[in-house]
Amino acid sequence: MTDFDVYERELWAGRAPAYERGFARLTSYTVGPLLDAAGVGAGVRVLDVGTGPGIVAAGAARREAVVSAIDADPGMAETARRNVPGVDVRVAVLPEVPFEDETFDAVVGNFVINHVGEPEVALKELRRVLRVGGRLALTCWRMPGSGALAVVRDAMEVAEVPWPDDIPVTPFMEYGEPEAFKELVAGAGFADAVVDEVSWEHVADPEEWWETGALARVGSNGVIISRQAPEVVARVKAAYDEIMARYAVGEGKVSLPAFALLAHGSR
């Protein structure tokens, strides 16, 4: 396990409730396209990697697929079990996948590959559990982050909060554009690799977004803010409010643009 993987385990421990109330709503937009790209339908044996609160697993179950799921965080796995009763949810840290060779017709992962220290190794393991001809579909954020992904980080920069030396940047930063993501997937042995660009608008309450993200220690930005003195947090919040005002759509809501990549291919 890399230092980044160790950091990720510490980062997400205990964060399941806040993630479910906040960021999971943003990532839910890509569930349909992800399942479509993997050909998930009735009777398809599918593995949801990094299931989190189980949103993708639930979508696959609604399509009458035969669903299994893994997540590195025990709290996330327990949340998924509660949200999607009857699904086989196991705790496993990528690149570990606790299933036999060629178990699944499809493997999907919604914004999880960017949380892995060695994405190349993880992809080869996902290929191992796919049957010949099976489909892989993975989403990641377009890098560098912008729109919904950047508002807190931008506010920190305005408030002149430095990035700490002990908090690593995701190794996936170099793959967060279409051609690099495609080459990564193809390099792991997947045929017909394609990367689609996906964008959408996420409508949210800016105060709730601040509470469930920045103040709840969801993601590295939240960890950094949790270390700051109250007067520094107040400066970040003031900058955040100013940035969010640009996205206002009325009735106390904002509409945040989101930009992602969807890679898919077959074994």
Side-chain angles (χ1 to χ4, degrees):
M1 185 179 295
T2 70
D3 291 344
F4 180 76
D5 290 316
V6 172
Y7 166 74
E8 283 280 318
R9 301 290 63 74
E10 297 172 351
L11 174 66
W12 291 105
R15 301 278 75 81
Y19 181 81
E20 184 177 18
R21 288 186 293 117
F23 225 77
R25 297 177 183 176
L26 170 67
T27 60
S28 66
Y29 179 90
T30 53
V31 172
L34 184 78
L35 295 175
D36 289 344
V40 175
V44 171
R45 300 168 300 167
V46 59
L47 174 64
D48 177 22
V49 180
T51 190
I55 294 173
V56 175
R62 285 192 294 270
R63 297 185 179 205
E64 301 182 345
V66 180
V67 187
S68 299
I70 61 173
D71 199 278
D73 182 68
M76 291 287 192
E78 183 57 38
T79 301
R81 292 188 191 103
R82 183 181 68 246
N83 288 339
V84 199
V87 168
D88 175 14
V89 182
R90 306 184 189 185
V91 176
V93 181
L94 288 174
E96 175 193 350
V97 180
F99 293 95
E100 299 295 326
D101 294 358
E102 300 189 27
T103 299
F104 299 101
D105 304 307
V107 172
V108 297
N110 203 29
F111 302 102
V112 64
I113 194 66
N114 44 289
H115 290 285
V116 174
E118 297 179 300
E120 307 93 334
V121 178
L123 280 166
K124 290 177 181 178
E125 181 71 350
L126 298 181
R127 186 177 182 275
R128 178 186 66 79
V129 299
L130 265 178
R131 66 167 175 80
V132 175
R135 299 286 302 171
L136 171 83
L138 300 170
T139 52
C140 76
W141 295 111
R142 178 120 197 193
M143 297 294 179
S146 59
L149 209 62
V151 287
V152 174
R153 177 75 61 83
D154 289 348
M156 290 164 54
E157 291 181 356
V158 170
E160 299 182 335
V161 176
W163 190 269
D165 292 338
D166 64 323
I167 294 186
V169 176
T170 170
F172 208 81
M173 187 68 72
E174 65 181 290
Y175 301 115
E177 62 89 22
E179 191 60 31
F181 196 13
K182 176 182 175 180
E183 289 178 2
L184 176 69
V185 172
F190 290 94
D192 306 317
V194 174
V195 172
D196 302 320
E197 298 187 53
V198 186
S199 62
W200 66 101
E201 293 285 328
H202 178 63
V203 177
D205 179 322
E207 292 303 317
E208 186 175 25
W209 193 251
W210 174 258
E211 177 189 344
T212 59
L215 296 188
R217 291 184 67 251
V218 172
S220 294
N221 295 333
V223 172
I224 295 170
I225 289 174
S226 73
R227 297 178 176 180
Q228 306 305 311
E231 61 271 19
V232 178
V233 176
R235 287 208 315 270
V236 177
K237 180 58 162 59
Y240 170 89
D241 289 341
E242 187 172 323
I243 293 169
M244 279 296 202
R246 305 169 194 167
Y247 298 107
V249 291
E251 299 183 354
K253 302 290 186 181
V254 293
S255 183
L256 302 172
F259 305 96
L261 303 176
L262 168 58
H264 47 100
S266 60
R267 177 174 176 183

